[in-house]
Amino acid sequence: MKHNKLLAALIVSSIVSGGTVLPVQAQESDKENTTVLSDVLVTGKKIATPAKEAAHTMADPVDVRLAVPESSKIATETFTQEDIEKMHPKDILELIQNGMGLNVMRYGAKGYCKVETRGGDEIGYIIDGVWLPETQASRMLMNLPVDMIESITFCRDASILTMGPVASFAQTNVKSGAPAQGYIIITTMTPTKPVDKAKVSYGTFNAEKASYVHGDKIGDTGYYTLGYAKDKTDGMDGWNNSQNLNTYLFKIGDKGKDWVANLTLLYNEGDVHNKAYFNSVADSYALNITAANKLALGGFLPIKTTVLALNAAKKWDEHHTTDFSFGWSHVDSYRWALNGDPITKKAGGFYERDYLRQLNLGHTLDYGRDKLKFGTQLMWYDAPTGMGSYGGSPREEELYGFYLYGERKATDKVILDVSARLDKKHITSGIGKYLVGSTSIVYDQLFGEMWEGNSVSTSVGAAYQINKVYKATARLGYSQQADNDFALVDNNEKLGDEKRIKCETGMEANYSKALNASLTAFYYDIDNARVATGNKYYESWDTAHSYPVYSYTARDLQRRGFELGFHGDLTDHFGYKASYAYFTSSDALDNSRTPHNLYNIALNYKNKDLSANLMLHHNSQYRGTASGVNAGSGTDFNMDRVTTIDININKELNANTTLTLFGNNITDQRYATGMYVYDTGATYGVQISKQF
């Protein structure tokens, strides 16, 4: 009842605010301080186009669907190719870790990583317009070379509804039932002029990296990109963390006066060994070879990932534009384990294959001050060999999503937006868990041919450019996530739909070249949040009780926090960027699973042909196991409080050649990155970059 009243208030407030409150405030501002909010599209690329010029510019079809509402932009952060080169991250996870309020965990056997923000349960990933489920993204991200990335955008807002599903789709996480908290949007290299760039590096553990990117224009409007990257390392002795990967990129696009189209093909293949489990005593790092942990001593041998993206848009007249995209993503791997796999009974290892196809069709009506965008997002997921914890049992799902987005430029200072989305999910085949006895579990192999309940979300937002210095934003959202049958529950408990009220406000201040600041604060009120009970059960084959499965229940809780950021150039040679994020939850378990404090500091210096960059990252201690047991039960795992520092020094040998010396985690912190998985400590290396 509480949420029904709030939902009604949400709809009424959007109508009222659109016609009264904010426009009145804007008109009260004096003419001297008038600042116009421009029509800007912010996606994987930072593009700033004046409104008059934008009216005659054909937008990229990806930009149309992934455009961030003005009311969400303060909660959005973009790293350009130049920013990425300054950071010199060792991989894409280290790059993501530099984002404001983002927490990264690295695992091994069933997936490489997990990224969270604001205590969220899932993050949506988008590469060149293709949405990826966490099941695929966790295996693709670690293998994506940062040298092939043009930009990466982090959207911490949970209520942007045109980007991806609000329903839990193609997920293995037992906490499925929670909507995506935000999005990570990656754009691969797109040349605007001829590009020939090569990089070669060598570092600790015989780490060898090489990349080459060639791009050029086709005629006056077209372009193409060809890229290759090699990433090979022997890893630390005894740690079982070597890898040998090859990545290939092909991209082509063109545009006319009233149309635009592009295609991306990204392919990666190679071998990746999982880090071995270690004892929890951080100083010993003795191999923890127990029956339950031998599964970690293995790897993906081999792993092959593919992303195909086709995007197109047609502008029919000055008011109507239709956009279309097709995506196909695939992971094909052979997961080898030291002692085979107890679920499939296959000695040595087993195959993991999954496919995702998607179609996006949208239409935009643009009448200057008023915009209306509506569309559909269709997805088909197929994992014939099973996935993650459900290895060996086929999984097939379909999703049918529909969204509506409206935007009103109430005045030159005020932009309002409202959006809604409905997702309908069908399960063709899947896995249902149920208890046989007091402690044992078996799987319902016939589970499927069913429709889950509807998942819905709606939001309203407002952006107010107070004057040339200050901008304020506010968003209010509601989501209802359908219950599902994948989570294990006690006594056949029905968890019910999860319902969320999401409130967010932001303030941005651009004082000068030397000082720019932003502040976002959020409050989420969640009914029926998925929370672990701490009760352990075991599958029927696990007579030794080596692989516990934890049951879940539903609780009401509140999450709150804020993100504070500063950036600027203190002199012509010295710049900085700093951020701090705070999180807390009313539920003890939920509160223990996310670091309460995250901060990043980046310092950069450049003078003629010499430059240097320093990046500092800190997170407070938290409980970080995927098992989700209650805090203090003794079976989950402390993720260390840690501060790491990366540094690089660059010397331009000539106009086209740069020598780089770099060090990652130079304070040699051997900290936990996942359950019994540790960072290898300080690494160093040298790189040569050449432009032809």
Side-chain angles (χ1 to χ4, degrees), residues 412-608:
D412 287 341
K413 287 190 167 189
V414 177
I415 292 182
L416 308 172
D417 65 79
V418 59
S419 57
R421 181 169 179 127
L422 166 67
D423 283 347
K424 299 180 73 67
K425 175 182 170 183
H426 178 261
I427 301 175
T428 299
S429 62
I431 297 297
K433 289 182 178 180
Y434 60 92
L435 297 177
V436 175
S438 59
T439 60
S440 61
I441 308 165
V442 297
Y443 292 96
D444 180 3
Q445 302 285 345
L446 302 178
F447 180 80
E449 284 302 334
M450 61 175 289
W451 288 91
E452 284 192 350
N454 295 336
S455 295
V456 298
S457 186
T458 184
S459 67
V460 295
Y464 177 30
Q465 189 76 49
I466 301 171
N467 53 39
K468 293 181 179 180
V469 176
Y470 295 101
K471 173 183 174 182
T473 61
R475 289 187 68 80
L476 179 63
Y478 169 84
S479 67
Q480 180 171 322
Q481 186 78 15
D483 193 8
N484 65 74
D485 295 299
F486 290 99
L488 179 67
V489 296
D490 296 329
N491 302 317
N492 294 317
E493 178 187 9
K494 293 296 182 182
L495 302 185
D497 293 353
E498 184 190 275
K499 301 177 181 179
R500 298 189 180 200
I501 294 291
K502 299 163 284 188
C503 306
E504 180 181 310
T505 185
M507 179 67 73
E508 185 177 71
N510 297 306
Y511 295 108
S512 65
K513 180 181 178 181
L515 180 59
N516 302 275
S518 66
L519 174 65
T520 50
F522 62 91
Y523 174 82
Y524 300 154
D525 185 10
I526 309 174
D527 285 356
N528 291 330
R530 277 42 174 165
V531 181
T533 64
N535 298 330
K536 291 188 289 186
Y537 298 92
Y538 301 90
E539 297 179 36
S540 55
W541 53 262
D542 187 12
T543 56
H545 288 184
S546 300
Y547 300 88
V549 181
Y550 299 90
S551 61
Y552 273 73
T553 187
R555 297 180 191 166
D556 297 345
L557 57 88
Q558 295 79 43
R559 293 172 176 169
R560 59 179 64 85
F562 65 87
E563 298 104 9
L564 177 64
F566 300 92
H567 68 93
D569 296 320
L570 299 180
T571 70
D572 292 338
H573 306 297
F574 184 76
Y576 71 95
K577 186 173 185 178
S579 66
Y580 171 73
Y582 173 77
F583 169 85
T584 188
S585 172
S586 62
D587 182 83
L589 172 63
D590 193 53
N591 196 44
S592 69
R593 295 289 304 281
T594 299
H596 290 189
N597 302 284
L598 287 165
Y599 61 77
N600 291 293
I601 299 175
L603 305 176
N604 54 79
Y605 170 84
K606 182 172 178 58
N607 188 2
K608 297 181 180 178

Side-chain angles (χ1 to χ4, degrees), residues 49-184:
T49 305
K52 292 182 180 179
E53 182 181 338
H56 304 286
T57 302
M58 188 64 197
D60 188 292
V62 175
D63 292 341
V64 173
R65 180 168 60 89
L66 304 184
V68 176
E70 197 72 40
S71 58
S72 295
K73 288 180 181 175
I74 297 179
T76 300
E77 181 180 23
T78 297
F79 293 155
T80 64
Q81 184 184 2
E82 181 182 0
D83 297 328
I84 296 170
E85 289 180 348
K86 288 179 180 178
M87 297 176 195
H88 201 281
K90 64 182 179 182
D91 56 37
I92 193 170
L93 289 184
E94 188 171 280
L95 171 62
I96 293 173
Q97 190 170 265
N98 284 293
M100 186 185 303
L102 293 170
N103 183 45
V104 176
M105 290 173 281
R106 300 172 186 252
Y107 297 121
K110 295 185 174 71
Y112 289 167
C113 65
K114 184 171 180 60
V115 181
E116 293 181 346
T117 182
R118 297 180 174 180
D121 305 302
E122 305 291 347
I123 285 282
Y125 301 88
I126 299 172
I127 298 179
D128 282 356
V130 175
W131 178 88
L132 300 175
E134 189 178 69
T135 48
Q136 288 189 342
S138 67
R139 288 171 285 169
M140 287 182 174
L141 282 181
M142 278 287 285
N143 303 342
L144 179 62
V146 295
D147 293 339
M148 291 184 176
I149 297 175
E150 179 174 293
S151 64
I152 183 168
T153 293
F154 311 113
C155 301
R156 300 186 301 275
D157 188 352
S159 56
I160 303 174
L161 304 181
T162 62
M163 294 185 178
V166 295
S168 177
F169 183 68
Q171 304 292 354
T172 60
N173 194 334
V174 290
K175 292 181 70 177
S176 60
Q181 173 54 50
Y183 293 92
I184 296 176

Side-chain angles (χ1 to χ4, degrees), residues 198-477:
K199 294 182 180 179
V200 178
S201 68
Y202 180 82
T204 308
F205 309 132
N206 290 323
E208 303 170 4
K209 291 186 179 183
S211 66
Y212 177 73
V213 176
H214 167 75
D216 205 346
K217 303 247 328 165
I218 302 176
D220 295 331
T221 57
Y223 66 87
Y224 71 93
T225 304
L226 298 172
Y228 169 76
K230 178 77 169 181
D231 187 350
K232 180 179 181 296
T233 178
D234 293 342
M236 195 169 185
D237 289 343
W239 281 50
N240 194 58
N241 61 340
S242 63
Q243 67 179 33
N244 186 3
L245 295 165
N246 300 282
T247 304
Y248 306 87
L249 171 67
F250 172 69
K251 192 169 186 178
I252 189 169
D254 201 356
K255 68 191 311 182
K257 182 179 180 180
D258 57 2
W259 62 273
V260 61
N262 58 61
L263 179 145
T264 300
L265 177 61
L266 184 66
Y267 176 73
N268 175 278
E269 61 85 19
D271 296 338
V272 177
H273 286 82
N274 302 320
K275 284 184 179 178
Y277 277 14
F278 293 87
N279 288 327
S280 56
V281 180
D283 293 335
S284 68
Y285 295 101
L287 284 174
N288 194 16
I289 312 274
T290 65
N293 292 339
K294 284 184 180 180
L295 189 60
L297 290 173
F300 294 98
L301 310 171
I303 182 169
K304 302 174 184 178
T305 65
T306 308
V307 176
L308 174 67
L310 174 63
N311 303 283
K314 168 68 175 177
K315 188 172 185 178
W316 306 103
D317 55 42
E318 62 178 332
H319 301 304
H320 296 266
T321 301
T322 300
D323 62 275
F324 165 83
S325 68
F326 168 77
W328 185 81
S329 52
H330 172 46
V331 177
D332 184 354
S333 61
Y334 183 78
R335 183 153 68 87
W336 174 83
L338 182 66
N339 65 339
D341 185 76
I343 299 175
T344 62
K345 307 299 184 182
K346 293 181 180 179
F350 58 94
Y351 288 100
E352 288 185 335
R353 298 189 179 103
D354 53 280
Y355 309 81
L356 178 70
R357 293 170 294 153
Q358 58 190 281
L359 287 173
N360 298 282
L361 181 64
H363 190 80
T364 301
L365 288 77
D366 188 346
Y367 287 89
R369 287 188 174 274
D370 295 295
K371 292 182 181 179
L372 179 65
K373 185 188 306 181
F374 56 90
T376 183
Q377 194 169 44
L378 312 177
M379 297 184 179
W380 299 267
Y381 180 78
D382 183 18
T385 58
M387 58 182 184
S389 301
Y390 303 99
S393 301
R395 178 92 167 264
E396 189 174 353
E397 301 176 355
E398 303 85 39
L399 181 130
Y400 307 90
F402 309 90
Y403 61 83
L404 179 68
Y405 172 81
E407 184 178 287
R408 167 74 173 172
K409 184 176 285 187
T411 73
D412 287 341
K413 287 190 167 189
V414 177
I415 292 182
L416 308 172
D417 65 79
V418 59
S419 57
R421 181 169 179 127
L422 166 67
D423 283 347
K424 299 180 73 67
K425 175 182 170 183
H426 178 261
I427 301 175
T428 299
S429 62
I431 297 297
K433 289 182 178 180
Y434 60 92
L435 297 177
V436 175
S438 59
T439 60
S440 61
I441 308 165
V442 297
Y443 292 96
D444 180 3
Q445 302 285 345
L446 302 178
F447 180 80
E449 284 302 334
M450 61 175 289
W451 288 91
E452 284 192 350
N454 295 336
S455 295
V456 298
S457 186
T458 184
S459 67
V460 295
Y464 177 30
Q465 189 76 49
I466 301 171
N467 53 39
K468 293 181 179 180
V469 176
Y470 295 101
K471 173 183 174 182
T473 61
R475 289 187 68 80
L476 179 63

